[in-house]
Amino acid sequence: MENQQQDKLHHIVVVGGGAGGLELVTRLGNKLGKRKKARITLLDSGLTHVWKPLLHEVASGSLDASANEINYRAHARKHRYEFQLGRMCGLDREQREVVVEAFHDHEGAEVVPERRIAYDTLVISVGSTANDFGTPGAQDHCLFLDSLGQAHRFHQLMLNAFLRKNHEAQEGRDHELPISIIGAGATGVELAAELRLASRELPVYGMNHLRPEDVTIRVIEAADRILPALPTRLSAAATRELERHNVEVQTGQPVAEVRKHSFVMKDGTEVPSEMTIWAAGIKAPAFLHELGGLETNRGNQLVVNQNLQTTRDENVFGLGDCVACPQPDSDRPVPPRAQAAHQQADTLYETLVNRLQGKPPVDFVYNDHGSLINFSRYTTVGNLMGNLTGRSMYIEGKVARLFYISLYRMHQVALHGFLRVGVIWLMDRVSRAMQPRLKLH
């Protein structure tokens, strides 16, 4: 009987459990699912959620993902929505069904066949992937940080590389470890700082034959400065901070080709690199290109109106990095940033509640609150936008670090509430006091 009642409810399906998607289903479940006003379903290809801006910390080992991930099934039970494991591969708009590809285990055996999930309202929030711009060799020889799995793989490769070089140093052999990060946006810059921290911390835990100066960390940016999307002052401060920690910064020239143990610059210069990470640009997943006849742009993003509704279907919405949303008085869409996804989730929540009441959707207006760049445990720099004046204020040091940490805590509050986040914070403090400063396995 209960299942029959559920089937009659308006069914809202959210595809993608990233920051925006998970915050949205949490609020919808608490508001509509709990009161049986609607049926809420989250579809994601993984079983757990980790805030994507933290993946570079997972990769370097300064963050233990197992202590910071959220299990979708457990979270769904608490917040009154349903979770389905699977990857979206198609869309039947006429039948209002999401096509989910077959699920296989690690040995390739089919666990669940291809299936379809019916919806009344669909929200697509599948995030973004790295954009290698067709650079030869990038897919074969670069490491990426698009997912938790890739971050774990990077961490293991990094530990193995340090162990190998430490052994070579012990035997008196050449043991320099060149690491290169292609792309100097926020991810690339923050990853460089985390890797420098790792090079200084690992000798404390037994790899004492490898010195920090044996690990060469290089950041390459095609634009004329790092963090090209951010204010010049912030870019200059970030450059000084990287150089202060012996991170080489190369700007003004793109990478033309990536090889197994090197990469080639546009001018033909070949640079050795044992580990090469690609962090230059993002794009929406390829399967979104004209998905179900929906309008997409050159970067595979779904084109949406200002109310986050797709241009060709009033029952399909989008949010986050995978959509191109217009901004008032600007010819550029909303930037693909975590704060934008958070704000879009808030707006879309209001729209979907209104939708059940026959009220019009709410237009989304992006408010830029500034940018913060965290240099691991060394320092944080950034700028905050003044709500009254519209001008930015440069901050650094402990104050900036406090604001940076608060961004993640705000995400946690949206998912768990203030009381539970207080408990989580206390557990984090205890864990840091008892665990090593880097994850060593």
mmCIF file of all heavy atoms in Angstrom, residues 231 233-235 237-238 240-241 369-375 379-386 391-407:
data_model
loop_
_atom_site.group_PDB
_atom_site.id
_atom_site.type_symbol
_atom_site.label_atom_id
_atom_site.label_comp_id
_atom_site.label_asym_id
_atom_site.label_seq_id
_atom_site.Cartn_x
_atom_site.Cartn_y
_atom_site.Cartn_z
ATOM 1 N N PRO A 231 41.458 37.900 -9.699
ATOM 2 C CA PRO A 231 42.105 39.214 -9.754
ATOM 3 C C PRO A 231 43.631 39.118 -9.795
ATOM 4 O O PRO A 231 44.235 38.198 -9.235
ATOM 5 C CB PRO A 231 41.636 39.888 -8.451
ATOM 6 C CG PRO A 231 40.336 39.225 -8.136
ATOM 7 C CD PRO A 231 40.494 37.813 -8.583
ATOM 8 N N ARG A 233 45.956 40.812 -8.320
ATOM 9 C CA ARG A 233 46.635 40.851 -7.030
ATOM 10 C C ARG A 233 46.667 39.481 -6.378
ATOM 11 O O ARG A 233 47.675 39.083 -5.777
ATOM 12 C CB ARG A 233 45.939 41.857 -6.100
ATOM 13 C CG ARG A 233 46.628 42.007 -4.745
ATOM 14 C CD ARG A 233 45.920 43.014 -3.865
ATOM 15 N NE ARG A 233 46.595 43.141 -2.572
ATOM 16 C CZ ARG A 233 46.169 43.909 -1.579
ATOM 17 N NH1 ARG A 233 45.071 44.634 -1.733
ATOM 18 N NH2 ARG A 233 46.834 43.960 -0.444
ATOM 19 N N LEU A 234 45.572 38.751 -6.495
ATOM 20 C CA LEU A 234 45.509 37.410 -5.932
ATOM 21 C C LEU A 234 46.466 36.478 -6.669
ATOM 22 O O LEU A 234 47.142 35.643 -6.059
ATOM 23 C CB LEU A 234 44.083 36.890 -6.002
ATOM 24 C CG LEU A 234 43.773 35.549 -5.338
ATOM 25 C CD1 LEU A 234 44.211 35.559 -3.891
ATOM 26 C CD2 LEU A 234 42.286 35.238 -5.444
ATOM 27 N N SER A 235 46.544 36.626 -7.988
ATOM 28 C CA SER A 235 47.456 35.822 -8.790
ATOM 29 C C SER A 235 48.911 36.083 -8.397
ATOM 30 O O SER A 235 49.706 35.150 -8.251
ATOM 31 C CB SER A 235 47.253 36.136 -10.277
ATOM 32 O OG SER A 235 48.221 35.488 -11.069
ATOM 33 N N ALA A 237 50.036 37.228 -5.507
ATOM 34 C CA ALA A 237 50.281 36.707 -4.162
ATOM 35 C C ALA A 237 50.465 35.197 -4.200
ATOM 36 O O ALA A 237 51.330 34.644 -3.500
ATOM 37 C CB ALA A 237 49.129 37.078 -3.243
ATOM 38 N N ALA A 238 49.682 34.517 -5.024
ATOM 39 C CA ALA A 238 49.794 33.066 -5.143
ATOM 40 C C ALA A 238 51.127 32.671 -5.759
ATOM 41 O O ALA A 238 51.759 31.689 -5.337
ATOM 42 C CB ALA A 238 48.639 32.527 -5.987
ATOM 43 N N ARG A 240 53.971 34.339 -5.564
ATOM 44 C CA ARG A 240 55.001 34.526 -4.539
ATOM 45 C C ARG A 240 54.992 33.389 -3.525
ATOM 46 O O ARG A 240 56.049 32.907 -3.104
ATOM 47 C CB ARG A 240 54.794 35.866 -3.823
ATOM 48 C CG ARG A 240 55.096 37.090 -4.664
ATOM 49 C CD ARG A 240 55.182 38.343 -3.800
ATOM 50 N NE ARG A 240 53.922 38.612 -3.104
ATOM 51 C CZ ARG A 240 52.937 39.353 -3.596
ATOM 52 N NH1 ARG A 240 53.059 39.904 -4.800
ATOM 53 N NH2 ARG A 240 51.832 39.565 -2.898
ATOM 54 N N GLU A 241 53.807 32.937 -3.149
ATOM 55 C CA GLU A 241 53.704 31.873 -2.152
ATOM 56 C C GLU A 241 54.250 30.559 -2.700
ATOM 57 O O GLU A 241 54.962 29.828 -1.998
ATOM 58 C CB GLU A 241 52.247 31.708 -1.719
ATOM 59 C CG GLU A 241 52.041 30.775 -0.544
ATOM 60 C CD GLU A 241 52.708 31.253 0.733
ATOM 61 O OE1 GLU A 241 52.888 32.488 0.894
ATOM 62 O OE2 GLU A 241 53.061 30.401 1.562
ATOM 63 N N HIS A 369 30.933 35.765 -4.030
ATOM 64 C CA HIS A 369 31.389 36.100 -2.682
ATOM 65 C C HIS A 369 32.907 36.165 -2.576
ATOM 66 O O HIS A 369 33.447 36.318 -1.478
ATOM 67 C CB HIS A 369 30.845 35.080 -1.675
ATOM 68 C CG HIS A 369 29.351 35.079 -1.589
ATOM 69 N ND1 HIS A 369 28.612 36.216 -1.330
ATOM 70 C CD2 HIS A 369 28.448 34.071 -1.740
ATOM 71 C CE1 HIS A 369 27.323 35.912 -1.313
ATOM 72 N NE2 HIS A 369 27.198 34.623 -1.562
ATOM 73 N N GLY A 370 33.589 36.042 -3.722
ATOM 74 C CA GLY A 370 35.041 36.111 -3.706
ATOM 75 C C GLY A 370 35.683 34.763 -3.934
ATOM 76 O O GLY A 370 35.005 33.762 -4.209
ATOM 77 N N SER A 371 37.007 34.725 -3.816
ATOM 78 C CA SER A 371 37.766 33.500 -4.061
ATOM 79 C C SER A 371 38.827 33.318 -2.992
ATOM 80 O O SER A 371 39.416 34.293 -2.522
ATOM 81 C CB SER A 371 38.448 33.568 -5.444
ATOM 82 O OG SER A 371 37.505 33.781 -6.464
ATOM 83 N N LEU A 372 39.060 32.073 -2.613
ATOM 84 C CA LEU A 372 40.068 31.742 -1.624
ATOM 85 C C LEU A 372 40.949 30.622 -2.154
ATOM 86 O O LEU A 372 40.446 29.635 -2.696
ATOM 87 C CB LEU A 372 39.416 31.311 -0.307
ATOM 88 C CG LEU A 372 38.648 32.398 0.454
ATOM 89 C CD1 LEU A 372 37.801 31.762 1.548
ATOM 90 C CD2 LEU A 372 39.596 33.418 1.050
ATOM 91 N N ILE A 373 42.257 30.785 -2.026
ATOM 92 C CA ILE A 373 43.219 29.782 -2.460
ATOM 93 C C ILE A 373 43.995 29.326 -1.229
ATOM 94 O O ILE A 373 44.622 30.139 -0.548
ATOM 95 C CB ILE A 373 44.192 30.348 -3.515
ATOM 96 C CG1 ILE A 373 43.413 30.933 -4.696
ATOM 97 C CG2 ILE A 373 45.155 29.264 -3.978
ATOM 98 C CD1 ILE A 373 42.557 29.934 -5.452
ATOM 99 N N ASN A 374 43.939 28.018 -0.963
ATOM 100 C CA ASN A 374 44.566 27.472 0.237
ATOM 101 C C ASN A 374 45.893 26.805 -0.107
ATOM 102 O O ASN A 374 45.951 25.910 -0.950
ATOM 103 C CB ASN A 374 43.624 26.449 0.888
ATOM 104 C CG ASN A 374 44.165 25.937 2.194
ATOM 105 O OD1 ASN A 374 44.592 26.716 3.044
ATOM 106 N ND2 ASN A 374 44.151 24.628 2.362
ATOM 107 N N PHE A 375 46.969 27.234 0.547
ATOM 108 C CA PHE A 375 48.290 26.647 0.334
ATOM 109 C C PHE A 375 48.595 25.660 1.462
ATOM 110 O O PHE A 375 49.485 25.874 2.278
ATOM 111 C CB PHE A 375 49.344 27.750 0.268
ATOM 112 C CG PHE A 375 49.195 28.644 -0.921
ATOM 113 C CD1 PHE A 375 48.385 29.771 -0.864
ATOM 114 C CD2 PHE A 375 49.824 28.354 -2.116
ATOM 115 C CE1 PHE A 375 48.222 30.595 -1.963
ATOM 116 C CE2 PHE A 375 49.662 29.173 -3.228
ATOM 117 C CZ PHE A 375 48.862 30.286 -3.155
ATOM 118 N N THR A 379 49.531 28.717 4.333
ATOM 119 C CA THR A 379 48.753 29.947 4.430
ATOM 120 C C THR A 379 47.566 29.865 3.476
ATOM 121 O O THR A 379 47.420 28.905 2.716
ATOM 122 C CB THR A 379 49.605 31.190 4.104
ATOM 123 O OG1 THR A 379 48.879 32.372 4.439
ATOM 124 C CG2 THR A 379 49.959 31.237 2.626
ATOM 125 N N THR A 380 46.719 30.872 3.515
ATOM 126 C CA THR A 380 45.580 31.001 2.602
ATOM 127 C C THR A 380 45.509 32.451 2.155
ATOM 128 O O THR A 380 45.747 33.367 2.949
ATOM 129 C CB THR A 380 44.262 30.615 3.293
ATOM 130 O OG1 THR A 380 44.360 29.267 3.777
ATOM 131 C CG2 THR A 380 43.083 30.709 2.338
ATOM 132 N N VAL A 381 45.226 32.672 0.877
ATOM 133 C CA VAL A 381 45.041 34.031 0.366
ATOM 134 C C VAL A 381 43.727 34.084 -0.390
ATOM 135 O O VAL A 381 43.222 33.069 -0.869
ATOM 136 C CB VAL A 381 46.203 34.471 -0.555
ATOM 137 C CG1 VAL A 381 47.528 34.444 0.185
ATOM 138 C CG2 VAL A 381 46.271 33.588 -1.810
ATOM 139 N N GLY A 382 43.147 35.279 -0.490
ATOM 140 C CA GLY A 382 41.901 35.390 -1.226
ATOM 141 C C GLY A 382 41.340 36.790 -1.220
ATOM 142 O O GLY A 382 41.942 37.722 -0.688
ATOM 143 N N ASN A 383 40.189 36.912 -1.848
ATOM 144 C CA ASN A 383 39.476 38.184 -1.833
ATOM 145 C C ASN A 383 38.014 37.922 -1.534
ATOM 146 O O ASN A 383 37.441 36.914 -1.975
ATOM 147 C CB ASN A 383 39.633 38.924 -3.169
ATOM 148 C CG ASN A 383 38.903 38.236 -4.304
ATOM 149 O OD1 ASN A 383 39.048 37.043 -4.503
ATOM 150 N ND2 ASN A 383 38.135 38.990 -5.055
ATOM 151 N N LEU A 384 37.416 38.785 -0.747
ATOM 152 C CA LEU A 384 35.999 38.694 -0.401
ATOM 153 C C LEU A 384 35.270 39.862 -1.023
ATOM 154 O O LEU A 384 35.749 41.004 -0.997
ATOM 155 C CB LEU A 384 35.813 38.712 1.121
ATOM 156 C CG LEU A 384 36.475 37.581 1.908
ATOM 157 C CD1 LEU A 384 36.205 37.757 3.392
ATOM 158 C CD2 LEU A 384 35.976 36.220 1.441
ATOM 159 N N MET A 385 34.087 39.577 -1.580
ATOM 160 C CA MET A 385 33.290 40.630 -2.203
ATOM 161 C C MET A 385 32.397 41.267 -1.153
ATOM 162 O O MET A 385 31.688 40.580 -0.423
ATOM 163 C CB MET A 385 32.431 40.067 -3.334
ATOM 164 C CG MET A 385 33.240 39.428 -4.450
ATOM 165 S SD MET A 385 34.313 40.613 -5.299
ATOM 166 C CE MET A 385 33.092 41.671 -6.057
ATOM 167 N N GLY A 386 32.434 42.602 -1.082
ATOM 168 C CA GLY A 386 31.581 43.321 -0.141
ATOM 169 C C GLY A 386 30.152 43.382 -0.640
ATOM 170 O O GLY A 386 29.899 43.797 -1.771
ATOM 171 N N ARG A 391 32.807 46.000 -3.832
ATOM 172 C CA ARG A 391 34.246 45.977 -4.017
ATOM 173 C C ARG A 391 34.833 44.782 -3.269
ATOM 174 O O ARG A 391 34.268 44.277 -2.310
ATOM 175 C CB ARG A 391 34.867 47.285 -3.505
ATOM 176 C CG ARG A 391 34.341 48.516 -4.234
ATOM 177 C CD ARG A 391 34.899 49.789 -3.622
ATOM 178 N NE ARG A 391 36.342 49.847 -3.751
ATOM 179 C CZ ARG A 391 37.089 50.844 -3.264
ATOM 180 N NH1 ARG A 391 36.518 51.821 -2.582
ATOM 181 N NH2 ARG A 391 38.398 50.834 -3.432
ATOM 182 N N SER A 392 36.008 44.333 -3.717
ATOM 183 C CA SER A 392 36.628 43.177 -3.092
ATOM 184 C C SER A 392 37.657 43.607 -2.057
ATOM 185 O O SER A 392 38.269 44.675 -2.162
ATOM 186 C CB SER A 392 37.302 42.294 -4.150
ATOM 187 O OG SER A 392 38.363 42.973 -4.774
ATOM 188 N N MET A 393 37.842 42.750 -1.063
ATOM 189 C CA MET A 393 38.806 43.009 0.000
ATOM 190 C C MET A 393 39.795 41.859 0.033
ATOM 191 O O MET A 393 39.416 40.692 0.149
ATOM 192 C CB MET A 393 38.086 43.129 1.348
ATOM 193 C CG MET A 393 39.019 43.305 2.536
ATOM 194 S SD MET A 393 38.109 43.448 4.104
ATOM 195 C CE MET A 393 37.362 41.814 4.209
ATOM 196 N N TYR A 394 41.084 42.176 -0.077
ATOM 197 C CA TYR A 394 42.123 41.157 -0.078
ATOM 198 C C TYR A 394 42.374 40.687 1.354
ATOM 199 O O TYR A 394 42.495 41.494 2.270
ATOM 200 C CB TYR A 394 43.412 41.725 -0.679
ATOM 201 C CG TYR A 394 44.569 40.757 -0.672
ATOM 202 C CD1 TYR A 394 44.688 39.770 -1.649
ATOM 203 C CD2 TYR A 394 45.541 40.821 0.322
ATOM 204 C CE1 TYR A 394 45.733 38.881 -1.639
ATOM 205 C CE2 TYR A 394 46.604 39.931 0.336
ATOM 206 C CZ TYR A 394 46.699 38.966 -0.651
ATOM 207 O OH TYR A 394 47.740 38.078 -0.640
ATOM 208 N N ILE A 395 42.448 39.367 1.556
ATOM 209 C CA ILE A 395 42.741 38.814 2.880
ATOM 210 C C ILE A 395 43.776 37.706 2.728
ATOM 211 O O ILE A 395 43.930 37.109 1.656
ATOM 212 C CB ILE A 395 41.485 38.256 3.576
ATOM 213 C CG1 ILE A 395 40.839 37.150 2.727
ATOM 214 C CG2 ILE A 395 40.490 39.359 3.890
ATOM 215 C CD1 ILE A 395 39.696 36.448 3.419
ATOM 216 N N GLU A 396 44.505 37.425 3.813
ATOM 217 C CA GLU A 396 45.465 36.333 3.801
ATOM 218 C C GLU A 396 45.703 35.858 5.231
ATOM 219 O O GLU A 396 45.234 36.466 6.198
ATOM 220 C CB GLU A 396 46.786 36.771 3.163
ATOM 221 C CG GLU A 396 47.509 37.893 3.882
ATOM 222 C CD GLU A 396 48.811 38.264 3.193
ATOM 223 O OE1 GLU A 396 49.431 37.381 2.579
ATOM 224 O OE2 GLU A 396 49.203 39.436 3.260
ATOM 225 N N GLY A 397 46.463 34.769 5.346
ATOM 226 C CA GLY A 397 46.830 34.267 6.662
ATOM 227 C C GLY A 397 45.694 33.558 7.378
ATOM 228 O O GLY A 397 44.838 32.918 6.771
ATOM 229 N N LYS A 398 45.662 33.703 8.707
ATOM 230 C CA LYS A 398 44.706 32.977 9.540
ATOM 231 C C LYS A 398 43.265 33.379 9.262
ATOM 232 O O LYS A 398 42.355 32.546 9.312
ATOM 233 C CB LYS A 398 45.041 33.201 11.014
ATOM 234 C CG LYS A 398 46.357 32.565 11.452
ATOM 235 C CD LYS A 398 46.603 32.771 12.936
ATOM 236 C CE LYS A 398 47.903 32.097 13.364
ATOM 237 N NZ LYS A 398 48.183 32.285 14.801
ATOM 238 N N VAL A 399 43.048 34.660 8.969
ATOM 239 C CA VAL A 399 41.681 35.110 8.675
ATOM 240 C C VAL A 399 41.168 34.440 7.402
ATOM 241 O O VAL A 399 40.050 33.921 7.346
ATOM 242 C CB VAL A 399 41.633 36.643 8.542
ATOM 243 C CG1 VAL A 399 40.236 37.092 8.083
ATOM 244 C CG2 VAL A 399 41.988 37.301 9.863
ATOM 245 N N ALA A 400 42.006 34.432 6.364
ATOM 246 C CA ALA A 400 41.624 33.791 5.107
ATOM 247 C C ALA A 400 41.422 32.293 5.302
ATOM 248 O O ALA A 400 40.508 31.694 4.729
ATOM 249 C CB ALA A 400 42.685 34.052 4.040
ATOM 250 N N ARG A 401 42.280 31.679 6.116
ATOM 251 C CA ARG A 401 42.156 30.251 6.390
ATOM 252 C C ARG A 401 40.827 29.941 7.067
ATOM 253 O O ARG A 401 40.161 28.950 6.761
ATOM 254 C CB ARG A 401 43.325 29.799 7.273
ATOM 255 C CG ARG A 401 43.258 28.349 7.740
ATOM 256 C CD ARG A 401 43.406 27.371 6.603
ATOM 257 N NE ARG A 401 43.448 25.997 7.076
ATOM 258 C CZ ARG A 401 43.373 24.928 6.298
ATOM 259 N NH1 ARG A 401 43.261 25.086 4.988
ATOM 260 N NH2 ARG A 401 43.439 23.720 6.794
ATOM 261 N N LEU A 402 40.420 30.801 7.992
ATOM 262 C CA LEU A 402 39.146 30.612 8.685
ATOM 263 C C LEU A 402 37.983 30.661 7.705
ATOM 264 O O LEU A 402 37.068 29.823 7.767
ATOM 265 C CB LEU A 402 38.987 31.688 9.757
ATOM 266 C CG LEU A 402 37.712 31.605 10.612
ATOM 267 C CD1 LEU A 402 37.675 30.303 11.392
ATOM 268 C CD2 LEU A 402 37.640 32.796 11.563
ATOM 269 N N PHE A 403 38.009 31.617 6.772
ATOM 270 C CA PHE A 403 36.953 31.701 5.768
ATOM 271 C C PHE A 403 36.964 30.469 4.865
ATOM 272 O O PHE A 403 35.910 29.950 4.483
ATOM 273 C CB PHE A 403 37.118 32.967 4.924
ATOM 274 C CG PHE A 403 36.513 34.194 5.543
ATOM 275 C CD1 PHE A 403 37.310 35.139 6.174
ATOM 276 C CD2 PHE A 403 35.149 34.409 5.510
ATOM 277 C CE1 PHE A 403 36.756 36.268 6.753
ATOM 278 C CE2 PHE A 403 34.579 35.532 6.082
ATOM 279 C CZ PHE A 403 35.390 36.465 6.708
ATOM 280 N N TYR A 404 38.163 29.990 4.513
ATOM 281 C CA TYR A 404 38.285 28.822 3.638
ATOM 282 C C TYR A 404 37.651 27.593 4.298
ATOM 283 O O TYR A 404 36.883 26.863 3.673
ATOM 284 C CB TYR A 404 39.756 28.557 3.325
ATOM 285 C CG TYR A 404 39.997 27.411 2.370
ATOM 286 C CD1 TYR A 404 39.932 27.596 0.988
ATOM 287 C CD2 TYR A 404 40.274 26.126 2.841
ATOM 288 C CE1 TYR A 404 40.147 26.545 0.113
ATOM 289 C CE2 TYR A 404 40.484 25.068 1.975
ATOM 290 C CZ TYR A 404 40.417 25.294 0.615
ATOM 291 O OH TYR A 404 40.624 24.235 -0.245
ATOM 292 N N ILE A 405 37.987 27.374 5.570
ATOM 293 C CA ILE A 405 37.419 26.229 6.295
ATOM 294 C C ILE A 405 35.908 26.353 6.407
ATOM 295 O O ILE A 405 35.173 25.363 6.319
ATOM 296 C CB ILE A 405 38.069 26.117 7.689
ATOM 297 C CG1 ILE A 405 39.553 25.769 7.553
ATOM 298 C CG2 ILE A 405 37.349 25.079 8.543
ATOM 299 C CD1 ILE A 405 40.310 25.805 8.866
ATOM 300 N N SER A 406 35.430 27.590 6.569
ATOM 301 C CA SER A 406 33.988 27.799 6.744
ATOM 302 C C SER A 406 33.197 27.392 5.505
ATOM 303 O O SER A 406 32.031 27.009 5.602
ATOM 304 C CB SER A 406 33.701 29.258 7.099
ATOM 305 O OG SER A 406 33.917 30.117 6.000
ATOM 306 N N LEU A 407 33.816 27.445 4.305
ATOM 307 C CA LEU A 407 33.126 27.044 3.081
ATOM 308 C C LEU A 407 32.723 25.571 3.149
ATOM 309 O O LEU A 407 31.602 25.200 2.802
ATOM 310 C CB LEU A 407 34.029 27.283 1.867
ATOM 311 C CG LEU A 407 34.384 28.736 1.547
ATOM 312 C CD1 LEU A 407 35.335 28.789 0.360
ATOM 313 C CD2 LEU A 407 33.131 29.545 1.263
#
